[in-house]
Amino acid sequence: EAQVTQNPRYLITVTGKKLTVTCSQNMNHEYMSWYRQDPGLGLRQIYYSMNVEVTDKGDVPEGYKVSRKEKRNFPLILESPSPNQTSLYFCASSLQILAGGPTGELFFGEGSRLTVL
Amino acid sequence: AQSVTQPDIHITVSEGASLELRCNYSYGATPYLFWYVQSPGQGLQLLLKYFSGDTLVQGIKGFEAEFKRSQSSFNLRKPSVHWSDAAEYFCAILSDSNYQLIWGAGTKLIIKP
């Protein structure tokens, strides 16, 4: 089954304790992206990756890191989480076939709800 | 700069009634437009897309949307809603500068029995 898998789905942690949210897709998609969703603020892009070893900042990259060492995986790293990073996080992937960029047809994971105390 | 506006934060309709969710965009050329749906506790799922051609596009789950260049709109419609359509709906446009999606704020659809 084609899917984007995120782990963990739920996590409560404390300020400053490094954590990683994993994201894996089995569709051989070149493009992957991380979003956070907050009430009243909609979806905001954190980082994206057009291909292996290529990552770019989105709209709200501060406090996050990513890496893309393999095509299928795109982990989101919070080196020193703070309470303002409490949010619902989504990973998404897409084929990259439209003029060098993603098609806009994104496949989303089910989300990871993170609480930082 | 390109932008997407969904004027309605919440919409309540009765089950069986018709639905129209509004989406307006700002962009000079022909945009690439999308509607996504987020059911409670789920990730987003693509409902339909418009790239070019026929301005009335059909999507999954019985939804359709019409691209109207003169009104800079891409409204989502369904003739008869079901309780399972209760969800949040997002309109998006593909940026022509970095090929990332620009999202509307979303419209939450509430279905009355």
Side-chain angles (χ1 to χ4, degrees):
Chain A
E1 181 188 354
Q3 58 186 1
V4 178
T5 303
Q6 298 179 224
N7 280 296
R9 294 287 314 280
Y10 302 90
L11 179 64
I12 300 175
T13 189
V14 296
T15 299
K17 186 176 181 182
K18 180 180 178 179
L19 68 92
T20 299
V21 186
T22 63
C23 175
S24 181
Q25 51 92 4
N26 63 1
M27 295 168 281
N28 202 36
H29 285 170
E30 293 173 336
Y31 173 88
M32 297 185 75
S33 181
W34 276 103
Y35 291 91
R36 61 179 290 175
Q37 185 178 29
D38 302 287
L41 296 176
L43 280 165
R44 294 181 292 169
Q45 191 177 40
I46 303 171
Y47 270 95
Y48 62 96
S49 170
M50 294 290 204
N51 213 328
V52 175
E53 302 292 2
V54 179
T55 62
D56 280 291
K57 295 177 181 178
D59 299 316
V60 288
E62 295 78 20
Y64 304 94
K65 286 175 58 177
V66 293
S67 67
R68 187 91 182 274
K69 299 189 187 311
E70 307 166 278
K71 198 173 196 179
R72 63 182 293 125
N73 295 323
F74 191 43
L76 179 69
I77 303 157
L78 286 72
E79 293 271 4
S80 183
S82 63
N84 65 12
Q85 293 179 297
T86 292
S87 187
L88 179 58
Y89 291 87
F90 287 101
C91 180
S93 71
S94 173
L95 281 172
Q96 183 177 317
I97 60 173
L98 182 66
T103 65
E105 300 174 65
L106 298 180
F107 291 80
F108 280 81
E110 292 192 314
S112 296
R113 185 167 293 282
L114 171 65
T115 301
V116 184
L117 301 175
Chain B
Q2 292 169 274
S3 65
V4 175
T5 302
Q6 293 180 248
D8 304 303
I9 299 173
H10 298 102
I11 288 242
T12 301
V13 299
S14 298
E15 189 169 15
S18 64
L19 169 71
E20 183 167 30
L21 300 182
R22 295 184 291 164
C23 173
N24 294 99
Y25 66 89
S26 68
Y27 185 56
T30 300
Y32 294 157
L33 292 159
F34 307 82
W35 274 101
Y36 282 82
V37 60
Q38 183 181 24
S39 298
Q42 302 292 315
L44 284 76
Q45 181 183 21
L46 180 66
L47 276 178
L48 48 78
K49 62 184 184 288
Y50 173 78
F51 283 4
S52 65
D54 192 345
T55 56
L56 185 63
V57 293
Q58 303 296 321
I60 62 171
K61 303 178 188 276
F63 285 91
E64 66 177 28
E66 187 170 13
F67 170 63
K68 292 186 177 180
R69 182 189 301 279
S70 62
Q71 299 177 20
S72 297
S73 69
F74 188 56
N75 294 349
L76 183 70
R77 301 194 295 245
K78 187 169 186 179
S80 175
V81 298
H82 185 261
W83 64 267
S84 60
D85 293 324
E88 191 156 19
Y89 292 80
F90 292 90
C91 183
I93 188 171
L94 193 66
S95 165
D96 65 351
S97 61
N98 65 2
Y99 298 101
Q100 305 306 303
L101 284 177
I102 300 169
W103 297 88
T107 298
K108 187 169 185 179
L109 175 63
I110 300 162
I111 308 293
K112 285 193 304 186

